[in-house]
Amino acid sequence: MMEDILINWSPQETRVAVVENGAVQELHIERTLERGLVGNIYQGKVARVLPGMQSAFIDIGLERAAFLHVADLHTAAPRGEQPTPIERLLFEGQALMVQVIKDPIGTKGARLSSQVSIAGRMLVHLPQDEHIGISQKIGSPEVREALRERMLALVGTRDSGGGGGFILRTNAEEASDEELAADIEYLRKTWNTIRERALTLPPGSLLHEDLNLVQRVLRDLCSDRTAKVRIDSRLQFEALQAFGQQYMPGSVVKLEHYAGERPIFDLSNIDVEVQRALSRRVDLKSGGYLVFDQTEAMTTIDVNTGAFVGAKNFDETIFKTNLEAAGAIARQLRLRNLGGIVIVDFIDMGREEHRQAVLAELRKHLAKDKTKVAVGGFTQLGLLELTRKRTRESLARMLCEPCPTCEGRGQVKTARTVCYEILREILREARQFSAREFRVVANAAVVEMLLDEESQHLAGLSDFIGRPISLTAEPGNQTEHYDIVLL
């Protein structure tokens, strides 16, 4: 089934949606102010060498000098030998090509390496090395060795105009020779451009910026299954055309400038789908629904029949709900970009053939996911385990922040619970401090309960401590927030 890619560009934010059969499958967002420096390559100048720390400060044109340790110098030492002291490798004023490996944080400058690596669609290019590496997550030793042999044949030697090191990324496991060769060609073109710029630009210049989201659409998202790539900015459309013609000419014919009056994301109700993807509950067409709970350790998905009673018997109702849920879960994993461990609690099925059919349906839909997913099957408790590679922050973590009221717990204390906390706090304060009066400033619902249902307990406490207790309702206060003022 073919897919369309829609790009909504603005100076502050780029949003990319992958749409298949009218439904949004993936959403990618990049905000201009939040773009990091990791992956950028600069022509730096050594500002200071610190032999005691075996480090150097490098000026790359940023507000603060960046930091380079001897272990991150490409020529520091042959394999298995002690690093050559940094003072014998660098001197002040020296020009040096460096790459950012860690963004500046607080008062610390960026962390650098002179071991350049350039990421492609399926490969990472190491232009200063000759090593062919394979991702540890790729298949068996036999598969890895076969991939290495194929890469050696495609890469060639420096004498024949080839050479250079490459690492195969996880998504290269099933790539064809044509796809690998196209990635090799793109990466070598990029490296040649970087070298040419290094010969002409002064120290402190940016030689290569990691691709922005619009460019990564052609590199990472556009495939044989892509029918069109539509973008709503004429300027970005022309820039993407120029980029594609130089590095990925096969994808340029799919580019199309959208000049319609309606916002491009309105064509497929994408903003509505995003709102649904941020909610905890997802309704199914049959009347069933899914409940998503994302924690630090894992994501859990609960499947419920809800109002669905369409089948002739209960087993069939459960089976059909689970089948529909399997497709919806695969889509939501991509749309929400949920990574790590995922536990799915399908409705209990008594028949083994039903479990296997649901598992097959889930795997069929997960096969469309560009991110690697490993399905572990059902456990003894009837739960389905799977893992999905983390590629970036989930949609919810990118667009949302923890609720200031519940602080991410997803629930708040009741007004009665807060009332009893206040009564205990007043008693504690009365034993430590001598006050003329205790004034409680709290949420209106809490104050109302103290004056009504808990008035007897409040009066009893006032008599016990021998001090008056006054109440003030603060409209802006949340239920759990209160202050006790000593007068």
Side-chain angles (χ1 to χ4, degrees), residues 294-298 339-341 371 388-392 397:
Q294 186 179 356
T295 68
E296 290 296 325
M298 67 180 70
I341 300 170
T371 301
R388 186 172 185 271
K389 185 180 177 182
R390 294 184 190 274
T391 55
R392 61 187 193 279
R397 298 274 167 84

Side-chain angles (χ1 to χ4, degrees), residues 166-184:
F166 291 88
I167 297 174
L168 277 83
R169 303 171 72 176
T170 309
N171 59 351
E173 184 173 359
E174 299 178 0
S176 66
D177 284 355
E178 291 75 16
E179 290 174 319
L180 293 174
D183 219 24
I184 291 170

Side-chain angles (χ1 to χ4, degrees), residues 397-425:
R397 298 274 167 84
M398 181 179 292
L399 300 182
C400 305
E401 61 184 9
C403 168
T405 302
C406 71
E407 297 177 346
R409 300 196 311 271
Q411 54 192 9
V412 295
K413 296 174 183 174
T414 64
R416 193 180 305 278
T417 299
V418 177
C419 286
Y420 294 164
E421 284 186 2
I422 289 172
L423 296 178
R424 289 194 298 271
E425 184 65 23

Side-chain angles (χ1 to χ4, degrees), residues 39-44 56 58 60 66-76 90 96-102 110-117 126 128-129:
N40 289 359
I41 300 173
Y42 294 85
Q43 182 75 326
I58 313 293
I60 58 173
F67 181 80
L68 174 67
H69 189 265
V70 68
D72 296 316
L73 267 170
H74 176 64
T75 57
L90 300 181
L96 183 69
M97 184 189 296
V98 289
Q99 185 170 35
V100 177
I101 58 175
K102 189 174 182 181
R111 178 79 181 262
L112 303 176
S113 172
S114 68
Q115 304 177 54
V116 173
S117 64
L126 309 173
Q128 300 146 312
D129 293 328

Side-chain angles (χ1 to χ4, degrees), residues 419-435 437-440 457-458 460-469 482 484 486:
C419 286
Y420 294 164
E421 284 186 2
I422 289 172
L423 296 178
R424 289 194 298 271
E425 184 65 23
I426 291 173
L427 180 59
R428 188 180 298 113
E429 297 285 347
R431 287 172 175 168
Q432 296 183 53
F433 305 102
S434 178
E437 178 187 339
F438 291 89
R439 177 169 297 167
V440 177
H457 292 139
L458 184 67
L461 177 62
S462 181
D463 290 341
F464 180 77
I465 64 175
R467 296 288 186 275
I469 302 173
Y482 63 84
I484 298 175
L486 280 61

